[in-house]
Amino acid sequence: MKKILFSGILSTILFTSCGKKEEKKEALYPENVAEKLSPEDQLVADGKELFESNKAACFSCHKVDKKVIGPSVKDIAKIYKEQNGDMVAFLRKKADPIVDPSQYNVMETNFAILKTMSDEEIKSLEAYMMSTIK
Ligand code: HEC
């Protein structure tokens, strides 16, 4: 009788400790599962990071919701959507400004840094800016 009781307790301890081990394993790697973004969402995330980085410094003149030195990101995105504008071409200095041409000379100072960016980076900036009105 004592033997049965003892082995019962022993297996309960073994069972629960194994269960805990499983939980711990899962808790160690939750990011890997949660942060698998679709290629499209990944591009938006990369663009946001670049837009807000010190390298590009876009955020210093463009806030998402309100005009500061430059138009808000949402206003720019709305106008590009309405007019079917080509933002990548603008950022590559291959298309004229359509949002606020009277202030173009202020935006123009950024072409030096934009020139150093890869096509993928330019595309990510567009993807991020357009995502703010989705
Ligand atoms: C020094 C301030 C300043 C910085 C920094 C800046 N911008 Fe601008 N941006 C402006 C101003 C002012 C305008 C409005 C003039 C215009 O429409 O071209 C503008 C306009 C724009 C437009 C709309 C262009 C159009 O068709 O009229 C886009 C797109 C844009 N900026 C993207 C960016 C990105 C991306 C960055 C970061 C690489 C950036 N800006 C950094 C000031 C800035």
Side-chain angles (χ1 to χ4, degrees):
M1 182 62 182
K2 258 189 192 164
K3 231 184 188 172
I4 294 169
L5 196 65
F6 180 72
S7 64
I9 291 169
L10 195 67
S11 61
T12 312
I13 291 169
L14 278 177
F15 187 73
T16 41
S17 63
C18 273
K20 269 191 192 132
K21 229 184 202 165
E22 248 349 275
E23 264 171 44
K24 249 193 199 156
K25 210 174 166 187
E26 262 173 43
L28 270 175
Y29 307 106
E31 309 95 306
N32 293 354
V33 186
E35 290 192 7
K36 265 267 172 230
L37 297 174
S38 69
E40 196 185 315
D41 289 346
Q42 187 60 57
L43 196 66
V44 170
D46 290 347
K48 184 174 194 293
E49 200 180 321
L50 185 59
F51 194 89
E52 291 168 356
S53 70
N54 291 328
K55 181 187 168 194
C58 317
F59 73 104
S60 60
C61 292
H62 296 290
K63 305 293 174 220
V64 176
D65 277 311
K66 65 168 196 254
K67 180 179 160 61
V68 276
I69 297 165
S72 76
V73 178
K74 282 187 178 172
D75 283 344
I76 293 174
K78 271 181 214 150
I79 289 171
Y80 268 82
K81 195 178 175 191
E82 278 162 20
Q83 303 197 14
N84 208 9
D86 186 343
M87 199 185 287
V88 168
F90 173 80
L91 295 174
R92 280 291 188 224
K93 223 180 170 188
K94 287 181 183 150
D96 293 332
I98 57 173
V99 177
D100 188 358
S102 70
Q103 296 295 307
Y104 180 60
N105 61 332
V106 182
M107 179 59 202
E108 236 184 338
T109 57
N110 295 292
F111 288 115
I113 184 77
L114 285 162
K115 233 173 125 178
T116 69
M117 290 183 195
S118 68
D119 289 347
E120 193 67 12
E121 285 176 314
I122 296 286
K123 266 193 250 159
S124 76
L125 288 172
E126 179 196 40
Y128 162 62
M129 291 180 79
M130 295 312 291
S131 78
T132 61
I133 55 162
K134 269 181 193 157

